[in-house]
Amino acid sequence: MKVVNKIVNQTTLKNHCVKVGLTLTSVFLFAGVGLLPSPWVQAQSATSVVQFRGTCSNRSKWRLKTAKNNAKIELEFEVNQVPKIIGQKWAVVITDNGNTIFKGARLTQAPDASFVVKKLVPDLKGIDNIVAKATNPKTKEICKFSVAVIL
């Protein structure tokens, strides 16, 4: 297994990309909040799992995991709230090429004050532009990330 880390800094924002697995060619282009130009990663795997990590607008952390699953893309969007407060409500929206694939509320859960949204979406022809955004209405903190996926 080969693991490649790429870190992009923008003031206090740090985005990490971890590439795991190698078998079939796919390309993941990603852009964190306000990063230009967009760094890119090429993943080669039928079972490739690519994870993106970063810091939200305050101190919370987010993670977006994408994985190829036959003709579908597995998405897992996680937010770990800092400070750790159980039961905090977050509004979450995930889109694929502008179409909403998830819109709802999530509460942070014990033990680490986090929540996860998992979706299995069709792999559209061409580029899948996935945008995940979570907003805490109480603290006004925002976690947002976009990834362009070509499988």
Side-chain angles (χ1 to χ4, degrees), residues 24-94:
L24 189 246
T25 301
S26 48
V27 178
F28 294 83
L29 302 172
F30 65 94
V33 179
L35 296 177
L36 293 172
S38 302
W40 63 274
V41 173
Q42 181 172 346
Q44 300 176 16
S45 179
T47 57
S48 184
V49 176
V50 180
Q51 295 189 48
F52 307 94
R53 299 174 186 271
T55 304
C56 302
S57 61
N58 290 338
R59 296 182 305 165
S60 297
K61 309 286 185 207
W62 59 262
R63 177 180 63 89
L64 179 66
K65 181 172 90 172
T66 62
K68 176 76 171 173
N69 184 341
N70 295 321
K72 297 191 182 271
I73 300 171
E74 262 181 73
L75 299 173
E76 188 175 298
F77 181 51
E78 178 180 8
V79 172
N80 290 306
Q81 183 173 313
V82 178
K84 294 183 184 306
I85 301 171
I86 307 302
Q88 282 278 295
K89 184 178 182 179
W90 287 76
V92 182
V93 177
I94 302 173

